[in-house]
């Protein structure tokens, strides 16, 4: 008998997959994300969607919040730590719609959000992805 996924994973299972994706990053990158908090939520809230100009919660699978390494300052006290937010329901919807392995999808989102931690824009990351193909 195989150990196959037969139901949608809960937030804790997604968090384990995300932590595994972070562990697969090269060591020099893992050292630079020390202190970044990983948070799995069911879906983005209405206020965030409005702030981002999105109508559909399923359009947002992950988000980086906080200062990037380029903006970090020892003088910035009282701020929340940098966070990577993963949104469980939108991730599961994309997983079903695309047929991409869930581990690969989560890794893609994690790498994208880590890119924001390093100060890369969406355009920078798309250009890097295009070069890698």
């Amino acid at each position: 008998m195989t150990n196959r996924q037969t139901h949608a994973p809960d937030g804790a299972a997604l968090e384990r997959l995300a932590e595994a994706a972070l562990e697969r990053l090269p060591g020099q990158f893992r050292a630079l994300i020390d202190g970044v908090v990983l948070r799995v939520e069911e879906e983005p809230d209405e206020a965030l969607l409005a702030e981002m100009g999105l109508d559909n919660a399923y359009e947002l699978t992950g988000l980086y919040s906080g200062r990037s390494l380029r903006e970090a300052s020892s003088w910035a006290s009282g701020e929340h730590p940098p966070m990577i937010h993963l949104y469980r329901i939108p991730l599961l919807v994309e997983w079903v719609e695309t047929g991409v392995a869930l581990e690969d999808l989560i890794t893609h989102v994690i790498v994208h959000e880590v890119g924001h931690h390093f100060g890369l824009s969406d355009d920078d990351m798309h250009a890097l992805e295009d070069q890698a193909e």
Side-chain angles (χ1 to χ4, degrees):
M1 181 174 239
T2 61
N3 188 13
R4 295 175 40 181
Q5 186 79 28
T6 59
H7 60 280
D10 63 12
L14 285 185
E15 187 171 340
R16 286 190 297 275
L17 291 172
E19 288 171 351
L22 288 169
E23 285 298 315
R24 289 191 300 275
L25 292 173
Q28 68 269 29
F29 294 116
R30 280 196 320 270
L32 293 172
I33 60 170
D34 188 42
V36 175
V37 175
L38 178 63
R39 186 170 175 182
V40 177
E41 301 169 45
E42 284 299 293
E43 58 187 21
D45 64 33
E46 293 296 322
L48 177 61
L49 293 173
E51 179 183 324
M52 298 188 73
L54 299 173
D55 295 327
N56 184 344
Y58 300 154
E59 293 179 66
L60 189 61
T61 55
L63 179 72
Y64 176 80
S65 64
R67 293 180 184 258
S68 71
L69 287 178
R70 290 181 183 176
E71 300 170 329
S73 167
S74 61
W75 295 100
S77 65
E79 293 182 354
H80 292 287
M83 287 188 193
I84 294 174
H85 305 260
L86 295 179
Y87 299 109
R88 180 180 166 271
I89 293 172
L91 279 165
L92 295 177
V93 168
E94 186 171 336
W95 173 47
V96 169
E97 288 179 350
T98 63
V100 172
L102 187 56
E103 294 84 355
D104 294 341
L105 178 58
I106 289 173
T107 297
H108 173 78
V109 173
I110 287 289
V111 168
H112 186 90
E113 302 313 330
V114 166
H116 286 305
H117 177 64
F118 292 126
L120 299 176
S121 68
D122 285 336
D123 290 340
D124 293 335
M125 285 182 274
H126 291 302
L128 289 170
E129 288 175 351
D130 291 345
Q131 289 174 6
E133 291 177 352

